[in-house]
Amino acid sequence: MSAKFGSCRRRLALVASLSIAAAALPASQASAFFGLFGSNDDAEVDVIGEPQNYSAEFTVQNDENGLERRLRSTSTLWNDRDEPASGSGGLLAKARGDYRRLLAALYAEGRYGGTISILIDGREAADLPPDTVLNNPATVAVSIDPGPEFLFGEAAIVNQAPPPQSWRDEVDDPREEGFATGEIARSTAILRAERLSVEAWRQQGHAKAEVVDRRVEAAHDADIVNARITVEPGQKAYYGPITVEGTERLDPDFIAFMAGLPLGAEYDPDYIRRAGERLARLDVFRASRFQEADTIGSDGLLPIDLIVQERERRRIGIGGSYSTLDGLGIETYWLHRNLFGRAERLRVDARVAGIGRNLDGGSFDPKGFNYRVGASFEKPGVFTPDTNYFASVYGTREVLDNYTRTGVDAQSGYSHIFNEELAGRFAVQAGHARFEDDAFGTREFTTAGLFGSLTYDSRDDAANPARGYFAEAVVEPFYEFQFNNAAFRSTVEGRTYYGFGAENRFILAGRAKVGTLVGPSISETPPDKLFFAGGGGSVRGYAFRNIGVEGPGGTVVGGKSLIEGSVEARVQVTDTIGLVGFADAGLVGADSVPDFGEDVKIGVGAGLRYFTGLGPIRLDVAVPLDAREGDPSVAFYVGIGQAF
C-alpha cells in the first residue's frame, strides 16, 4: 500500500492487526476501538475565521457498482463544496473528518486495502497544521483507490442462541444478512451480526446478553477477513417488580398494571416495547421510559423502573376548515385526560360546518348548516391492560344532497387490542333521527342494536404503505321501532400493497369492499344505514354519495348492497415527489345481493404526492367515465396520506 498520506495511511495499515488489538482489550474498550468499522464521526472543532472558499474534485479509481456515488455522499468536503468553510482551520477540520468518514465507508463496502488522499492546494491535508494559510479559494482534490473487495474466510459466532421455541422470538439469521464465508466482508455485516446475536438471546429471556470478545483479522495477501464473535448470554431473566417514578396525579399502581409486565413472566424485549406503546396510547405522559436494573437477582427476577412525566390534565382546542363544496367549518373541544386518576378521558365536542354553503340573497341560512355536539368518555385498563371501555352521546344535524338528518345517538362498549395487528370493538348503540329527503319526504326512525368490528392491519406505514395487508369486518344487527323491522348490516373491506424496486419506489395497491343490508325495504330503512358510493374515499371522479339506486322522481337514494374496488400504481420519482395512476369502480344495488342490473361506475385519474414527515400530501385529479346529473366533469381531491 503506497504512502499517500501520513497519519491516515497508518490507520489503514492498522487493519491487519486490528483483531489482535481488539481481542486484547476489555469488551468496552474493544467496542470503542471497533468504531472504525462503523459510522464513527468523531467530534470536530470548527475554527471560526474568515470564510474559506474552495473548489472540490472527487475521484475514485476503478469505480464499481456506484461506489463513487456512495463515497461522495459520505464526504462533507464534497457535499458542502458550495458553502465556504469557517476559515482555513475549518476546512482542514472537514478534511480530517473526511479521512475517518471515508475510511469507515470503505470498511462498510468490504475494502480494507485502499488508500485515501485529500490534497489541499497540492499538499496532503493530514500533514498540514491547523494554522496553515491556504489560498482563497483553495483547491481540494479527494482521490481514493478502494483496493480489492475482501471476503469472509471465517464468520463465526461463539455461543449462538439455539432455535427459538416460538416464531415470535425469531431473529434474522446473521448468515442471511451477509455474515457468512464467501460473502463480502462488510463492516456493517459484522456489526449487524453482533446485534442479531445478542438480540437472539434477549428474545429467549436473557436480558443481559452481550458480546464479550470480537476477533477480526484481515489477511491482505489473500483478501480475506476472518471474524469471530463471542456472546455471553448470561442468566435467564424474569420480570421483577415494577417501580413507577414521576407520577403526580396518576395512580402508580394502575400505571404499573397498564405496563402489562406480570411479575415472574419470562423477560421478552418485545413486551417492553409493547408496554411503551400501550402507555403512549394513554396520552397522559410527556415522556416515559423503562430502566432495567443493572443485574439480575439470584431468584432470576429483573427489577424495572418506569420513569414518567405527566402532561397537563386539561386541554382546549379550536380549529377550522373550508371546502368549496361544504363552506366554512368551526369546531372546538374540551378534554380532560385524567378524570379520576386512572387516565380516564372525558371529551366534549362542538362543531358547526357548511357555513356559507347555501347562500340565499346574500344571507346565511342556519338551516343549511351541519351541527354536532356531544361528549365521549373512555376508561382504559378494564379487565386487561389492552381493554378499554368507551361511551358517547352526540346530537347531530347533517345536511347532505341526498337527505337531511337531525338526531341523537348513544353508544357504549369495549375495545380490545389482541396483538400488534389485530383489534376489535363491541358496543350497544341506540339512536333516534328525523330524515328529510325528496324521495320519501319526512320520516322518523328509532333504532337499537349491536355493533362489532374486527380489524387486521399489518401495513408497514398506515399513511404511506409499501407492503402489508389491511382487512376489516363490521356487523350491525339492529331493530327499528317506528316501522317494527329487524335488520342486519355488514361490510368487509380488504387492502393489499406490493412494493418493488430499490427502496420500494414502485408500489401496486389494491382495495375491495363489499356490503349488504338484510331486512326492511329501502323506504323503511334509515338512509344512513343504506349504502352510497362516490367521492374521495370511494369512487373518485363522482360527486360525494351520488352513486346509489334510483328512487321516486329520479332521485338518488341509498341501496342495500355495495361493491367497490380500486387499484393504484405509485412511483416515487424523487425523495419528495411521487406520481400515481388509479382506477376506481363502484356499484350500489337495490337488493341485499346485487344482480348487477345497475351500472358499474368507473372513475380514472392521476395524482401527485409530496412526501413529508407526516405522510404524503395527496393531490388527485379524477374523471368519471359514466357521469350522471350532479357529477363533475373533473374532480380534484386534496388530503394527507395515500387514498387507501
Side-chain angles (χ1 to χ4, degrees), residues 324-341:
T324 56
L325 295 177
D326 299 327
L328 176 66
I330 300 174
E331 57 187 296
T332 184
Y333 70 88
W334 175 86
L335 171 68
H336 197 303
R337 291 189 176 96
N338 183 28
L339 197 61
F340 304 122

Side-chain angles (χ1 to χ4, degrees), residues 502-644:
E503 299 179 349
N504 289 325
R505 286 185 174 267
F506 299 90
I507 299 171
L508 297 178
R511 179 185 72 93
K513 182 178 182 179
V514 297
T516 185
L517 174 71
V518 179
S521 64
I522 289 177
S523 62
E524 294 186 357
T525 302
D528 59 344
K529 299 292 187 182
L530 297 171
F531 295 105
F532 294 87
S538 177
V539 183
R540 284 165 285 186
Y542 295 84
F544 178 60
R545 299 168 69 95
N546 202 40
I547 301 175
V549 299
E550 186 172 341
T555 59
V556 177
V557 298
K560 298 177 65 177
S561 58
L562 169 73
I563 299 177
E564 284 183 354
S566 301
V567 292
E568 283 195 353
R570 306 168 183 168
V571 56
Q572 186 170 344
V573 181
T574 69
D575 290 340
T576 57
I577 300 298
L579 299 175
V580 173
F582 61 84
D584 300 334
L587 178 150
V588 175
D591 299 320
S592 300
V593 178
D595 59 7
F596 294 94
E598 296 83 2
D599 292 335
V600 177
K601 301 294 185 179
I602 300 175
V604 297
L608 179 69
R609 304 290 185 266
Y610 179 76
F611 298 100
T612 71
L614 297 176
I617 296 176
R618 180 178 77 254
L619 171 62
D620 287 337
V621 181
V623 177
L625 299 187
D626 185 17
R628 59 171 296 160
E629 183 179 354
D631 290 324
S633 56
V634 179
F636 298 87
Y637 305 92
V638 178
I640 297 179
Q642 297 289 359
F644 61 89

Side-chain angles (χ1 to χ4, degrees), residues 37-85:
F37 274 71
S39 179
N40 185 27
D41 294 347
D42 296 343
E44 297 176 6
V45 178
D46 197 14
V47 181
I48 300 176
E50 293 296 326
Q52 174 67 60
N53 297 290
Y54 67 96
S55 62
E57 294 181 358
F58 198 105
T59 59
V60 177
Q61 300 179 29
N62 302 319
D63 180 29
E64 299 176 3
N65 302 321
L67 180 60
E68 181 172 337
R69 176 179 57 82
R70 292 192 292 274
L71 291 174
R72 281 185 175 186
S73 68
T74 303
S75 169
T76 57
L77 285 170
W78 177 258
N79 293 323
D80 298 345
R81 63 190 182 280
D82 295 329
E83 299 291 335

Side-chain angles (χ1 to χ4, degrees), residues 390 411 414 423-429 449-455 472-477 488-491:
F390 61 87
Q411 189 179 58
Y414 298 91
R425 293 173 69 89
F426 174 80
V428 177
Q429 55 189 16
L450 304 176
F451 174 91
S453 69
L454 198 62
T455 303
E472 183 175 56
V474 178
V475 295
E476 294 181 77
F488 180 85
R489 186 182 193 271
S490 66
T491 59

